[in-house]
Each structure stands twice: as structure tokens, then as C-alpha cells.
Amino acid sequence: MLHSAARARVLSIIWIVASVLVLFAGENLWIDPWLRSKSRLVPSLTPEALSGLWFLALLAVTVFCILLIVAQVLVALDRGIPLGKRMGTGLATFLAVLLCVLWACVTSGMTSQSTFGQKFGRGSKGHSVTLTWKASKSAVKGYNVYRGTTSGGPYTKINPDLVPGLTYKDQDVPGGTTYYYVTRAVDADGRESANSSEIKAAVP
């Protein structure tokens, strides 16, 4: 059982860390895409998928989530803390961790922004964009396709599996936005090439 002063500190840690994680994930998942859909001049705060900055952000998010869970376990086991407070911090912890998992899936390219939006009801009726490109001069195993809403990036990988051919159809793309696509060739060792020339697609 925690002392009264320790209880107050642990409860404060939970609320502060949970708030920071919710704000960070919410900004990257909803606010940033919305702002960039309104103006291409707005800089993106979302790190490029699987970049060094993204892994650094993932490490920080993981550390904060572990800290949050440990603090919540301490609170849950302390019967001296009112049930209402324990339930409140438990809900905040659950929401923060859930949003962080969604952030990792979306920003890593495991789930595209458009698919995420469609599943959670914020996307409009989807369109499709068919892309074609020239074959790499080097021996490759396939290609990865990346999409962004700002020319020059950041881009998010949208293909769940390696594309073996020279064409890809991006399904369920929300309308009213201009998208920018690049491809990267992948060799037999899984190494990606540099970005191809950017392809611009205005979706009505």
C-alpha cells in the first residue's frame, strides 16, 4: 500500500502521461491529416514511416506506456485509493495504450490512413487510384508503394504485401484531396531503394 504522498504522485503521473500520449496519438492520427488536407503549407508532425525519427518516437511511446501500466498496477492494487479514482485512471490508461497501438499501426504503414478512417467512420466514400511505373534496372523482388498528402513527403507505405508487378491499385481513397505517390524497389535481402519520381493524383 502506498503512502498518501506517494499515491498523489502516482495518480498525477498517470494523468499526465496518459494525457501526453492521447494528445500525441490524436494529433498524428486525426489532427495532422486534417490540417494537411486543408493546406499543403502546414508542416507535418508525423514522422515518416519506419524512419529513424519514427523508431525514436516508437521507443519513447513504448517507455511511456510501460511507465503508465506500472503506475496503474500500483494504483489498482492499493485498496486505500477510492474505487472511482482507480477506475478513472484505469480507463485513461486503457485509452492511451489503445491509441498508441493504433498510432504504431497507422504510421508504420501496417494500416493506411484511409483504411483507418473508413473503419472508424470519419472517411468519405472511397475512390481508387491506379498506379503504374517503370521496372527497376536492378534485380528486385518487388516494390513498396508509399502515399502522402504533401509533395516531398512524409509518405506512408500502403501495400500490405510486396507488389511483384509494375502496377498497384490504391483502394478506398477519400476524395477531395491531392495525393502524392512514390515507389521503392526491394531486393532479395529486403533492402529498399530510394524513392522513385513522385506521382501526383488529385482525387475529386
Side-chain angles (χ1 to χ4, degrees):
M1 182 178 294
L2 299 172
H3 297 294
S4 58
R7 287 173 184 165
R9 285 196 296 268
V10 172
L11 289 172
S12 297
I13 288 173
I14 291 176
W15 286 113
I16 292 172
V17 173
S19 298
V20 169
L21 291 176
V22 168
L23 288 174
F24 171 77
E27 194 283 330
N28 277 212
L29 291 173
W30 292 292
I31 299 175
D32 187 79
W34 180 79
L35 288 175
R36 288 189 289 120
S37 71
K38 298 299 180 182
S39 174
R40 287 182 293 173
L41 300 178
V42 178
S44 174
L45 298 179
T46 304
E48 183 178 355
L50 305 182
S51 65
L53 185 59
W54 183 87
F55 280 108
L56 184 62
L58 178 64
L59 177 61
V61 166
T62 302
V63 170
F64 277 117
C65 282
I66 292 173
L67 174 64
L68 189 60
I69 292 170
V70 170
Q72 178 56 37
V73 169
L74 292 175
V75 168
L77 295 176
D78 190 341
R79 301 302 178 186
I81 299 176
L83 179 60
K85 288 187 176 181
R86 283 185 280 148
M87 291 182 63
T89 56
L91 181 61
T93 298
F94 175 78
L95 178 61
V97 173
L98 175 62
L99 284 178
C100 287
V101 172
L102 291 176
W103 171 86
C105 291
V106 172
T107 59
S108 68
M110 292 173 60
T111 302
S112 68
Q113 284 281 5
S114 60
T115 302
F116 176 77
Q118 293 289 338
K119 287 181 178 179
F120 285 86
R122 71 171 178 84
S124 58
K125 183 178 179 180
H127 300 263
S128 64
V129 176
T130 301
L131 307 166
T132 58
W133 57 88
K134 294 181 179 179
S136 171
K137 296 180 180 179
S138 305
V140 300
K141 187 176 181 181
Y143 299 86
N144 283 328
V145 182
Y146 290 79
R147 182 183 69 205
T149 54
T150 304
S151 180
Y155 306 104
T156 299
K157 187 165 77 76
I158 58 175
N159 56 303
D161 301 307
L162 206 59
V163 180
L166 301 176
T167 184
Y168 181 80
K169 189 172 185 179
D170 187 12
Q171 301 276 14
D172 295 326
V173 182
T177 303
T178 298
Y179 297 94
Y180 300 87
Y181 295 86
V182 296
T183 60
R184 298 175 189 172
V186 182
D187 64 17
D189 295 324
R191 294 173 298 197
E192 287 188 324
S193 68
N195 291 337
S196 67
S197 299
E198 190 177 70
I199 301 172
K200 178 180 178 181
V203 180

